[in-house]
Amino acid sequence: MKHILTLVSIALAATASVAHAHGVWIAPSSTVLSAPQFVSFDAATSSVPFMIDHRPLVIDALNIIAPDGSKVTPVNVMKGELRTVFDAKLEQQGTYRLELLRSGFRASWKDAENKPKRFMGTAEALAKEVPADAKDLQVSETDSRMENFVTVGKPTALKTSGKGLELVVATHPNDLVTGEPVELTFLVDGKPTEGVEVAIIRSQSRYRNNTEEKTYKTDKNGKLKVSLPEAGMYWLDADFKDNKVSNKVAKERTLAYVVTLEVLPQ
Amino acid sequence: MRNWVSALIPALVAGMFANQAGAGEINVKVTLPQINTSEYHRPYVAIWVEKPDQSVQKNLAVWYSQKKTDKGEQSDKWLKDLRQWWRKSGRDQSLPMDGVTGATRAVGEHAMTFVEGKEPLANLPAGQYNIAVESAREKGGREIVRVPFTWPVKKAETVKAAGQQELGDIIVDLKP
């Protein structure tokens, strides 16, 4: 049973990272706090980021990491029809990191009757599920990281893992204000990487005629500069493809990174 | 407080004439306006000396509730609403700050005197500064007002600014 659950969540993860048009997001009730307290989160996949209009996000693989590296268990978890809700009690001073890491393999092929078939899951399961004589077989590895940051008191330095696609924000992600441009560096397996495609959308898109999505590409140093002139919650999505697969069954690796950034007024 | 200040000023003025190299002085008068609302809470207020790059040189005063709320929460939960001050200085401080933090104040005029060589002003390097006053009120708004000045003070001068909503007149009276 447990195996099935793992498979299902990996499958969902894979779907989510393909369908970036359907924004995957986690939104905190606060990101800057002056005293320890509860923070509440919404998590969903939706037509536009932060719009509660599609499906709840599966958060089984979510980690909430306290400033001292210990883990905080989410409480009051509620999986609704349209979104998942959970609370976390933030008791330490410093920056908490929420991370949802998802990875797996995706295959598509045609069966003997030329019907399209799909598979999402682990490499081992893929070997079992995909017939040896599958026609037009395409296999890719997916690896995605989704993050949120919340700070109690003074922000603390953040570390990257050196695995997959990651972001380093020159200004601490909980220290963003209007009128101060932000320098972002994207790392692939720990190395600044050129050509990472980034999209940024501000929240509350229902109340304007255009999502005002902005797109960017990292330069040869893996950097890009963005100005976020309006206060609000921003959804940032980054994507990159390469061929550094962990299992030769796949030809390419699809990397994704999603973070929620709150920009406060000056 | 006002009695104390008015008693202090003549003494300091006398001191200034007695010694040409007397201690410079910054008198700050902050008016918290009467706000007509069904539920008024006294604002949290931070007053500091700001450098031209908007970093905080000195914290002069921070007024906030240090009592626990009905739910047993620390009232410093709301300090982040003084968002400029919180970002530039508050979050780096260990609160309460001696001689700086105090209880919230009522509507009206509040006069404070800061003297060179004495905490919290102590020794201010020569330069251009602002007196920054930020106010944030529960179920209300937030406002920041800046009054520029040059230090050390060459001749006595009064500089004024006024808030629109959450702050009234801010009068900075400088004495060499």
Side-chain angles (χ1 to χ4, degrees):
Chain A
M1 182 61 191
K2 213 171 180 187
H3 282 290
I4 293 169
L5 276 178
T6 318
L7 273 183
V8 168
S9 64
I10 289 167
L12 282 171
T15 328
S17 57
V18 187
H20 271 303
H22 263 210
V24 192
W25 52 269
I26 297 177
S29 57
S30 288
T31 62
V32 175
L33 303 170
S34 48
Q37 61 200 272
F38 272 106
V39 172
S40 190
F41 298 84
D42 282 332
T45 68
S46 61
S47 60
V48 185
F50 309 125
M51 198 91 91
I52 300 171
D53 66 358
H54 186 55
R55 296 297 301 147
L57 189 70
V58 176
I59 60 152
D60 304 355
L62 177 80
N63 276 319
I64 304 173
I65 303 156
D68 70 356
S70 63
K71 282 183 187 165
V72 178
T73 310
V75 293
N76 304 323
V77 180
M78 191 281 292
K79 193 174 157 203
E81 292 297 328
L82 303 179
R83 58 135 166 31
T84 301
V85 176
F86 59 95
D87 298 332
K89 195 173 192 186
L90 311 187
E91 294 178 290
Q92 297 176 18
Q93 296 281 323
T95 302
Y96 284 75
R97 177 205 295 267
L98 275 78
E99 61 177 29
L100 184 51
L101 306 178
R102 303 176 299 181
S103 57
F105 289 81
R106 196 166 67 220
S108 66
W109 69 95
K110 287 191 179 122
D111 68 6
E113 285 133 41
N114 263 346
K115 275 195 190 148
K117 293 274 183 186
R118 280 163 171 273
F119 166 86
M120 278 165 248
T122 62
E124 298 74 49
L126 186 140
K128 279 186 213 140
E129 302 274 322
V130 178
D133 58 348
K135 272 190 288 182
D136 302 336
L137 179 65
Q138 303 271 347
V139 181
S140 67
E141 183 173 0
T142 65
D143 185 5
S144 78
R145 168 183 283 270
M146 203 167 150
E147 290 182 325
N148 259 213
F149 299 99
V150 181
T151 295
V152 181
K154 193 177 179 173
T156 41
L158 299 166
K159 276 186 215 146
T160 50
S161 72
K163 284 181 209 140
L165 183 57
E166 292 178 285
L167 169 66
V168 176
V169 189
T171 316
H172 189 285
N174 292 141
D175 200 10
L176 307 178
V177 293
T178 54
E180 291 186 10
V182 189
E183 191 189 74
L184 309 174
T185 308
F186 285 89
L187 310 177
V188 173
D189 296 335
K191 286 191 198 97
T193 299
E194 183 177 8
V196 175
E197 292 183 37
V198 178
I200 298 179
I201 300 177
R202 187 166 50 89
S203 66
Q204 306 270 324
S205 55
R206 175 179 289 159
Y207 310 114
R208 53 186 193 261
N209 291 329
N210 190 306
T211 57
E212 294 169 12
E213 175 174 345
K214 287 182 184 158
T215 55
Y216 309 83
K217 231 178 208 182
T218 54
D219 65 13
K220 62 179 170 21
N221 300 313
K223 290 185 195 298
L224 60 92
K225 214 164 211 182
V226 298
S227 63
L228 305 168
E230 280 179 83
M233 213 53 109
Y234 285 80
W235 178 82
L236 180 152
D237 168 89
D239 296 280
F240 190 73
K241 275 183 188 175
D242 64 15
N243 52 13
K244 290 177 188 151
V245 291
S246 67
N247 188 311
K248 285 284 185 296
V249 69
K251 287 222 171 54
E252 66 171 14
R253 180 172 71 151
T254 309
L255 298 165
Y257 176 86
V258 172
V259 67
T260 300
L261 298 172
E262 187 176 30
V263 177
L264 295 175
Q266 282 266 23
Chain B
M1 178 66 188
R2 233 174 294 167
N3 286 339
W4 174 74
V5 170
S6 46
L8 188 68
I9 290 173
L12 285 163
V13 170
M16 184 184 81
F17 284 111
N19 179 0
Q20 283 299 314
E25 189 181 300
I26 304 172
N27 296 285
V28 182
K29 215 182 272 173
V30 173
T31 304
L32 300 181
Q34 176 89 47
I35 290 167
N36 292 317
T37 170
S38 55
E39 190 185 330
Y40 179 80
H41 297 272
R42 289 178 178 187
Y44 280 22
V45 175
I47 304 166
W48 68 94
V49 176
E50 184 185 67
K51 291 201 266 193
D53 66 358
Q54 294 199 353
S55 63
V56 174
Q57 175 73 32
K58 298 272 179 190
N59 283 304
L60 299 179
V62 181
W63 306 335
Y64 72 104
S65 170
Q66 291 171 47
K67 283 182 265 178
K68 283 198 174 173
T69 64
D70 305 342
K71 287 166 82 183
E73 289 165 324
Q74 293 290 343
S75 296
D76 52 5
K77 180 178 175 183
W78 307 108
L79 273 175
K80 56 149 181 84
D81 290 340
L82 289 168
R83 59 175 176 250
Q84 183 91 226
W85 175 76
W86 180 252
R87 177 169 185 257
K88 302 282 179 162
S89 177
R91 68 189 191 190
D92 299 328
Q93 308 301 331
S94 129
L95 296 164
M97 294 158 72
D98 211 20
V100 173
T101 49
T104 54
R105 305 273 182 107
V107 166
E109 209 177 84
H110 300 277
M112 291 147 278
T113 296
F114 303 102
V115 182
E116 186 178 3
K118 282 190 187 160
E119 290 297 339
L121 187 62
N123 297 313
L124 193 59
Q128 286 288 327
Y129 296 100
N130 288 317
I131 292 291
V133 182
E134 184 174 22
S135 169
R137 182 169 54 91
E138 184 180 349
K139 301 196 179 178
R142 172 261 181 197
E143 187 163 34
I144 184 163
V145 173
R146 293 184 166 91
V147 181
F149 71 97
T150 307
W151 188 263
V153 179
K154 294 244 162 58
K155 65 174 190 352
E157 194 188 357
T158 302
V159 201
K160 275 188 205 177
Q164 303 287 314
Q165 304 281 335
E166 299 293 331
L167 288 166
D169 286 343
I170 310 296
I171 301 167
V172 175
D173 199 11
L174 301 153
K175 301 235 166 83

